[in-house]
Amino acid sequence: MSLELQSISKHFGALTALEEVSFHCTEGEFIAVVGPSGCGKSTLLRLIAGLDIPTTGLVRFHQAPVRQPGSERALVLQDRVLYPWLNLEANVAMGLELAGKPRSQARQEARDWLARLGLAGFEEYYPHQVSGGMAQRVALGQVLAVKPKLLLLDEPFGSLDALTRLGLQELLQKLWQELGFGVVMVTHDVDEALYLADRVIVLTPHPGRIMTTLPIYLSRPRNRDEAPFITLRREVLAWLGIQPREGEHRRW
Ligand code: ADP
Ligand code: MG
């Protein structure tokens, strides 16, 4: 078991953000977490990343308690997180240099990563000169370059247009299949969750508790238009209270 959350609760003063959340992520597994805004999804990722600690409960990664950030658990956010004063190559090389790689080797690896992410030829560009989709590719390169075992994604494609988002979902799936890292991805896009994940966890409105966990047994690459996918979409939307099940009224 690579990641294990044991009865995690998180309070901010009188506010309970998360309550008794337990789940695990096996090596290389892709987990998606969906739930209404404010239900504690970002808080959950911050706890796994070690940027904050739970009020009660324990996060374990490869058995060891998580109490601080580590490069084996990399967090990618929705908003641009690139260093604006560095070009794309230097942005990707940064983590490698911080990890102690000689500069020339770090730069070479960064160029290889940019090529792999479809950004060959953009090495010298600065973050403000590229589109949001390109910036998110670089953000992925930045963290994947240091070979994390677990990728934590907080609505990483949430601010992108629909077409760009589909392209990045394909790219993420390809990298995940090739490199074998685990993923915990928070998304408000139900189709994105169903397209990519091995399991979808649905959280309740706040405080966030696990409402249900749905294993997604569809083979990859998945087809968003096929009946089993559509059935699953309807099921997740029903759990979220957005679409009633047949013969059932809205939950909330
Ligand atoms: P989500 O990502 O699902 O929208 P968040 O994890 O950002 O939700 O927030 C969950 C709840 O916890 C919200 O009510 C939010 O206001 C609260 N919260 C999050 N971080 C803090 C913080 N550092 N201090 C106080 N309250 C916080
Ligand atoms: Mg959030």
Side-chain angles (χ1 to χ4, degrees):
M1 206 79 71
S2 86
L3 172 73
E4 205 168 352
L5 276 72
Q6 299 172 331
S7 290
I8 297 295
S9 295
K10 180 67 182 175
H11 304 282
F12 294 107
L15 182 130
T16 304
L18 290 169
E19 197 168 65
E20 299 283 321
V21 173
S22 300
F23 69 89
H24 62 266
C25 176
T26 54
E27 195 121 17
E29 193 178 13
F30 198 128
I31 291 185
V33 179
V34 299
S37 180
C39 77
K41 303 182 295 299
S42 296
T43 302
L44 183 70
L45 287 189
R46 287 176 54 79
L47 295 174
I48 300 171
L51 293 166
D52 202 346
I53 52 167
T55 309
T56 57
L58 192 61
V59 180
R60 285 179 189 275
F61 191 67
H62 289 284
Q63 312 304 335
V66 168
R67 298 210 174 87
Q68 58 194 24
S71 62
E72 76 282 2
R73 287 164 286 119
L75 180 61
V76 176
L77 305 172
Q78 176 179 326
D79 299 316
R80 291 174 176 234
V81 288
L82 306 180
Y83 305 105
W85 62 92
L86 296 178
N87 67 24
L88 302 191
E89 181 184 306
N91 259 285
V92 176
M94 179 63 116
L96 294 166
E97 287 179 39
L98 287 174
K101 285 233 163 133
R103 191 185 160 94
S104 61
Q105 191 186 340
R107 291 304 183 107
Q108 182 57 53
E109 284 185 31
R111 281 193 293 279
D112 293 345
W113 267 105
L114 288 173
R116 192 170 190 170
L117 295 162
L119 293 170
F122 292 95
E123 294 83 358
E124 308 288 323
Y125 281 58
Y126 282 82
H128 73 274
Q129 296 174 311
V130 301
S131 69
M134 292 163 79
Q136 280 309 74
R137 282 170 193 257
V138 179
L140 280 176
Q142 230 175 17
V143 297
L144 292 178
V146 292
K147 301 191 172 64
K149 292 200 172 66
L150 184 66
L151 200 55
L152 304 169
L153 304 171
D154 196 350
E155 308 200 2
F157 312 141
S159 63
L160 306 176
D161 65 85
L163 216 55
T164 305
R165 193 182 312 162
L166 294 182
L168 276 161
Q169 288 168 5
E170 291 301 328
L171 178 67
L172 173 62
Q173 177 161 266
K174 185 165 163 281
L175 293 168
W176 170 72
Q177 287 174 327
E178 285 171 7
L179 299 169
F181 48 80
V183 180
V184 180
M185 174 192 232
V186 162
T187 177
H188 57 249
D189 182 338
V190 171
D191 272 28
E192 181 166 274
L194 293 174
Y195 187 71
L196 293 170
D198 294 317
R199 276 191 292 149
V200 175
I201 294 175
V202 184
L203 295 181
T204 58
H206 79 91
R209 275 176 275 108
I210 293 185
M211 195 187 303
T212 191
T213 301
L214 297 164
I216 313 300
Y217 294 121
L218 308 176
S219 60
R220 295 179 173 90
R222 294 173 178 166
N223 184 338
R224 297 174 178 84
D225 302 323
E226 268 177 7
F229 195 100
I230 293 168
T231 304
L232 280 164
R233 177 192 295 140
R234 201 175 294 139
E235 189 170 351
V236 174
L237 290 174
W239 279 108
L240 290 168
I242 294 163
Q243 184 166 325
R245 290 161 200 266
E246 271 169 52
E248 193 186 67
H249 295 292
R250 274 166 195 263
R251 255 159 230 276
W252 4 278

